[in-house]
């Protein structure tokens, strides 16, 4: 592997979060500030966040709109963020939202935190339960927290949590390039 910054090389998306670790409001604000400074087309910044700290109403409303299989571990996260974007007016809103979440993820890694993104969610339920404006589309939920014990997860999740990380070879991703590493 080439020399990646440790913030990228050690980034990982666990399910095992420490159910006792709390994120401070300042840590949450730092994550959101990193997202705010993400690049966006025409500086549109079309992303919007609903922030739920463990045990508050927003967290609970986000959690119940995840599939039961995801709720088993997501409830241990310190923070659940719903990230939404406008349905109209910004054709690249989802792309820009991805940039914001990526920047938030790198900042979380710098703070010693971990992030896992969830795209399987009840969008209509989230919109209703969080009283979102009609023009906002719930897009992804981001779980944030400190790393927990993978052996505390339900048994069927442990192998994925403790196995080696795998990535597709770079040569499979680079099109029409003879110089792509293999």
């Amino acid at each position: 592997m080439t020399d990646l910054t440790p913030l990228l090389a050690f980034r990982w998306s666990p399910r095992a979060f420490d159910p006792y670790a709390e994120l401070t409001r300042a840590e949450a604000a730092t994550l959101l500030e990193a997202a705010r400074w993400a690049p966006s087309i025409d500086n549109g910044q079309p992303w919007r966040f609903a922030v739920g700290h463990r045990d508050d109403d927003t967290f609970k409303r986000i959690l119940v709109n995840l599939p039961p299989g995801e709720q088993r571990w997501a409830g241990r996260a310190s923070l659940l963020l719903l990230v939404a974007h406008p349905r109209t007016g910004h054709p690249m809103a989802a792309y820009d939202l991805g940039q914001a979440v990526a920047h938030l993820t790198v900042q979380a890694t710098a703070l010693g935190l971990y992030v896992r993104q969830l795209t399987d969610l009840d969008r209509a339920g989230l919109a209703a339960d969080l009283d979102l404006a009609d023009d906002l589309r719930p897009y992804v939920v981001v779980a944030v927290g400190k790393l927990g014990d993978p052996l505390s997860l339900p048994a069927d999740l442990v192998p994925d949590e403790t196995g080696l990380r795998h990535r597709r070879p770079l040569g499979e991703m680079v099109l029409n390039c003879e110089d792509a590493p293999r």
Side-chain angles (χ1 to χ4, degrees):
M1 175 165 49
T2 59
D3 291 330
L4 287 178
T5 175
L7 293 176
L8 297 176
F10 296 111
R11 183 220 52 84
W12 178 49
S13 300
R15 290 181 187 87
F17 288 102
D18 180 343
Y20 304 106
E22 299 290 332
L23 260 68
T24 66
R25 301 279 177 197
E27 288 170 319
T30 299
L31 297 177
L32 296 170
E33 190 68 15
R36 186 172 82 95
W37 283 98
S40 68
I41 295 171
D42 293 329
N43 199 27
Q45 303 168 33
W47 48 82
R48 300 294 180 267
F49 291 91
V51 181
H53 288 265
R54 189 187 308 113
D55 297 328
D56 74 13
D57 285 342
T58 300
F59 187 100
K60 292 172 187 172
R61 290 175 186 193
I62 294 171
L63 186 64
V64 300
N65 285 288
L66 300 176
E70 306 290 16
Q71 289 180 28
R72 296 183 302 161
W73 61 265
R76 299 172 183 215
S78 300
L79 195 69
L80 290 178
L81 303 168
L82 169 69
V83 192
H85 67 76
R87 295 178 190 276
T88 60
H90 194 285
M92 298 299 289
Y95 178 83
D96 282 1
L97 178 148
Q99 290 267 15
V101 172
H103 279 65
L104 182 149
T105 299
V106 172
Q107 183 64 48
T109 304
L111 295 174
L113 302 171
Y114 292 83
V115 171
R116 186 169 185 93
Q117 300 172 38
L118 300 100
T119 57
D120 185 11
L121 39 106
D122 179 353
R123 287 176 172 77
L126 282 162
D129 288 352
L130 296 173
D131 197 27
L132 298 182
D134 290 340
D135 70 326
L136 286 180
R137 179 180 188 264
Y139 196 77
V140 65
V141 169
V142 179
V144 182
K146 295 198 185 259
L147 194 58
D149 179 3
L151 299 179
S152 70
L153 290 170
D156 62 313
L157 299 177
V158 172
D160 285 342
E161 199 73 4
T162 58
L164 294 175
R165 292 173 60 195
H166 297 284
R167 285 287 189 257
R168 193 180 288 245
L170 188 57
E172 291 182 17
M173 295 181 210
V174 178
L175 304 174
N176 302 328
C177 182
E178 295 175 13
D179 296 329
R182 303 254 181 243

